Amino acid sequence: MIAKEGKVVLVPIVLVCFTGTLISNYYSLRWLDYINYFNYIFLLFSLYFFRNPVRKILGDPKQMISPADGKVIQIIDVDDVDIGKARQISIFLSVFNVHSQYVPIDCKVLSSVYNPGKFLIAYNHKTSSDNEQTVTLFENNYNQKFKIKQIAGLIARRILNYMHIGNQHVKGDRLGFIRFGSRVEIIVPQNSFEIQVKNGDLVRSNLTIIGEFKNC
């Protein structure tokens, strides 16, 4: 399947490829053939980038699945204004990862805030605070809060977030989409969440168990 967010990119590319091919064939323009070649390569890349595979959701109600595909690049302790003592799990999404994000556990949306910022490369840990991002605060069915941060990268210039205050969501609902390389961070309570991934792990949305809430 192709993600709906890709239409704004794919439709113009298809039109450019189609038009370029017609003109090249009609006028026999060799130079245009080379341009068309690169346009078709970009089209194939875009189809790959905007793929949206259907996956069976794993984990029991207390377990949090990964909200994104990518690589775990940092797990640190943080002080969060809404959660208090917390742990932050950072996932880097390269341009070759699926870029849809998903709700990681049954929950309610408490807030969703967009913060403008820089466009540093997403692998840089300064992006956690400096880059353009959308931060969503959730509360699970056990009255425990957690956050998901969608962070733009060097190439990413568009963060889509579908969360609205007060809405109830189930594990696996679409949370949003980031166009091109980016970063997703999960902030969970330090004393009531057991992390089950480590630095360097490759994670897949809806399949990889990030951890489990305790004291529920």
Side-chain angles (χ1 to χ4, degrees):
M1 294 180 62
I2 300 297
K4 61 182 180 181
E5 295 85 357
K7 292 180 181 179
V8 69
V9 174
L10 291 171
V11 171
I13 295 174
V14 170
L15 291 176
V16 168
C17 289
F18 179 73
T19 303
T21 300
L22 285 180
I23 295 174
S24 177
N25 289 340
Y26 186 81
Y27 291 104
S28 299
L29 301 175
R30 178 59 63 87
W31 61 268
L32 187 55
D33 288 338
Y34 292 112
I35 295 177
N36 289 336
Y37 174 76
F38 287 106
N39 286 338
Y40 277 107
I41 289 177
F42 185 61
L43 174 60
L44 291 175
F45 168 77
S46 297
L47 288 170
Y48 179 75
F49 178 84
F50 288 107
R51 68 197 186 281
N52 190 35
V54 178
R55 295 171 177 170
K56 182 179 179 180
I57 300 169
L58 301 181
D60 65 35
K62 296 180 183 179
Q63 290 180 317
M64 177 184 285
I65 55 175
S66 178
D69 280 22
K71 181 180 181 179
V72 178
I73 59 172
Q74 187 182 55
I75 300 176
I76 58 173
D77 295 335
V78 296
D79 287 313
D80 185 84
V81 64
D82 297 301
I83 298 174
K85 295 291 184 180
R87 304 208 76 192
Q88 176 180 290
I89 306 161
S90 302
I91 300 171
F92 172 72
L93 290 70
S94 77
V95 294
F96 301 106
N97 289 123
V98 173
H99 270 60
S100 294
Q101 288 87 54
Y102 300 87
V103 174
I105 197 168
D106 294 357
C107 58
K108 178 181 179 179
V109 180
L110 299 182
S111 68
S112 185
V113 179
Y114 165 76
N115 297 310
K118 301 176 182 178
F119 294 96
L120 302 174
I121 187 169
Y123 215 93
N124 186 334
H125 295 318
K126 290 185 66 177
T127 61
S128 181
S129 58
D130 293 354
N131 273 30
E132 176 177 306
Q133 58 192 265
T134 296
V135 183
T136 307
L137 176 66
F138 298 93
E139 184 177 71
N140 67 13
N141 291 343
Y142 309 100
N143 301 316
Q144 295 167 309
K145 296 178 181 179
F146 67 94
K147 283 181 177 178
I148 302 292
K149 297 171 69 174
Q150 299 167 277
I151 304 172
L154 179 65
I155 301 175
R157 299 286 164 152
R158 185 75 171 108
I159 297 174
L160 303 174
N161 182 284
Y162 306 136
M163 300 293 98
H164 300 283
I165 297 174
N167 282 7
Q168 296 280 351
H169 288 279
V170 297
K171 182 185 295 187
D173 282 353
R174 283 292 298 278
L175 187 152
F177 194 96
I178 311 175
R179 294 202 181 105
F180 305 107
S182 51
R183 181 178 178 125
V184 170
E185 294 182 340
I186 310 158
I187 301 175
V188 291
Q190 191 175 99
N191 297 323
S192 60
F193 189 88
E194 180 181 349
I195 297 175
Q196 298 177 11
V197 292
K198 61 183 183 302
N199 278 333
D201 282 357
L202 299 178
V203 297
R204 301 178 70 193
S205 59
N206 293 339
L207 297 179
T208 304
I209 305 299
I210 291 295
E212 181 174 347
F213 282 98
K214 302 181 292 183
N215 305 322
C216 297

